[in-house]
Amino acid sequence: MQNQQMNSNEYKIETLELKNCNEIIEIWTKSLPENLKSIIGKEIINNYIQKFFKIKENFGCGIFKSNELIGFILFGNDNAIIEEIKKEKFKLIIFSFFKNLFLLKLNKILSYLDVLIFLLLSKNEEKIMMEGNCELLIIAIKNDQQNKGIGSDLLKDSLKIFKKNFLNYNYIYVKTLNRSERNLHFYKRNRFEVQKKIFGRVYLKFKTQFLNSKP
């Protein structure tokens, strides 16, 4: 397992493996409660992670504090994973939708509809953008560890650790909500540039040639 020490000996970066699954799920659901997978539940996230690590082109890093995972980042392509999950977990997804509808959790219902419309509108354009490129799929930090610069350290160190992987691509893409100024500032600060906007999402790209140059 590759690892890289951070500024403090208390922290370390390591590549993630399937054995980290339960820790990833906990951080995912608690730090990203509005994420649709979090809304549907841990079973969906577990299924996603299990499939994610079976694809050799996918990879990720975790940041550990005293051997406890406090944040993670995943890269790759999850289009095939999403399609498989929609087929295999269709009943679970529908059950979750109607459960929230019955409980009148309008914000969660709107999240379902928002994601559905976005997927329909972005499918073709995203396919073109991702062709021959890589995506930063998710980055999450434990709630009590946020606002300490840990996310930036994790992103920067992961780019170094997987440099050889990234140089096979022209760009690393990431998408985030247009209304999330904090996220937009985070990516721009880390040399991601806005590419386009689709239904409330902003696509940003990082030129992999930057990995061969000084910041």
Side-chain angles (χ1 to χ4, degrees):
M1 179 180 288
Q2 303 175 43
N3 69 79
Q4 179 168 333
Q5 295 294 325
M6 300 187 67
N7 295 332
S8 170
N9 290 329
E10 189 179 15
Y11 297 91
K12 62 181 178 180
I13 299 284
E14 294 185 349
T15 54
L16 291 172
E17 299 175 356
L18 193 54
K19 68 180 183 181
N20 304 115
C21 182
N22 290 334
E23 293 173 287
I24 292 172
I25 292 172
E26 286 301 311
I27 294 173
W28 189 321
T29 54
K30 291 179 180 178
S31 66
L32 301 169
E34 296 182 358
N35 178 272
L36 185 58
K37 295 182 185 67
S38 296
I39 292 173
I40 297 172
K42 294 181 179 181
E43 183 178 341
I44 283 288
I45 299 175
N46 178 63
N47 192 262
Y48 178 94
I49 295 169
Q50 297 287 335
K51 294 179 184 300
F52 177 88
F53 283 109
K54 289 181 180 179
I55 301 175
K56 64 179 182 179
E57 290 82 11
N58 291 346
F59 45 89
C61 278
I63 182 167
F64 294 79
K65 180 181 180 183
S66 301
N67 296 318
E68 175 192 1
L69 183 67
I70 62 171
F72 67 90
I73 186 169
L74 302 180
F75 296 94
N77 187 313
D78 66 358
N79 290 336
I81 295 174
I82 298 301
E83 289 302 315
E84 287 181 18
I85 289 176
K86 286 193 294 185
K87 293 177 182 178
E88 296 173 8
K89 300 296 181 179
F90 179 76
K91 291 182 179 179
L92 175 62
I93 296 169
I94 294 298
F95 174 79
S96 176
F97 174 81
F98 281 104
K99 178 182 177 181
N100 284 295
L101 183 62
F102 177 77
L103 296 173
L104 298 178
K105 295 185 177 181
L106 298 182
N107 287 340
K108 293 184 177 181
I109 295 302
L110 290 174
S111 292
Y112 279 92
L113 299 177
D114 177 74
V115 170
L116 176 60
I117 295 172
F118 166 71
L119 290 175
L120 292 173
L121 293 177
S122 66
K123 186 175 182 179
N124 291 333
E125 290 194 63
E126 187 165 302
K127 183 178 180 181
I128 294 171
M129 273 193 292
M130 297 306 171
E131 185 69 30
N133 295 305
C134 182
E135 183 175 1
L136 193 172
L137 298 166
I138 183 171
I139 180 169
I141 306 295
K142 285 188 69 174
N143 291 331
D144 62 357
Q145 297 296 324
Q146 293 179 11
N147 302 314
K148 298 179 180 180
I150 291 174
S152 289
D153 286 336
L154 177 57
L155 175 55
K156 291 174 183 176
D157 283 4
S158 65
L159 293 177
K160 294 176 184 177
I161 291 173
F162 295 115
K163 179 178 177 179
K164 289 184 178 179
N165 300 65
F166 292 128
L167 291 178
N168 292 321
Y169 307 105
N170 293 317
Y171 298 102
I172 301 168
Y173 278 94
V174 67
K175 56 180 174 280
T176 189
L177 292 174
N178 188 38
R179 66 175 181 268
S180 180
E181 294 184 8
R182 179 181 174 185
N183 286 353
L184 287 171
H185 179 68
F186 170 80
Y187 290 117
K188 289 178 180 179
R189 190 172 69 243
N190 285 288
R191 305 180 80 178
F192 280 78
E193 302 172 351
V194 173
Q195 170 74 3
K196 65 170 54 183
K197 299 179 181 180
I198 302 176
F199 196 69
R201 276 76 171 174
V202 180
Y203 287 81
L204 301 98
K205 64 181 181 182
F206 176 92
K207 297 179 181 179
T208 56
Q209 68 185 46
F210 287 157
L211 298 174
N212 287 322
S213 61
K214 294 182 179 181

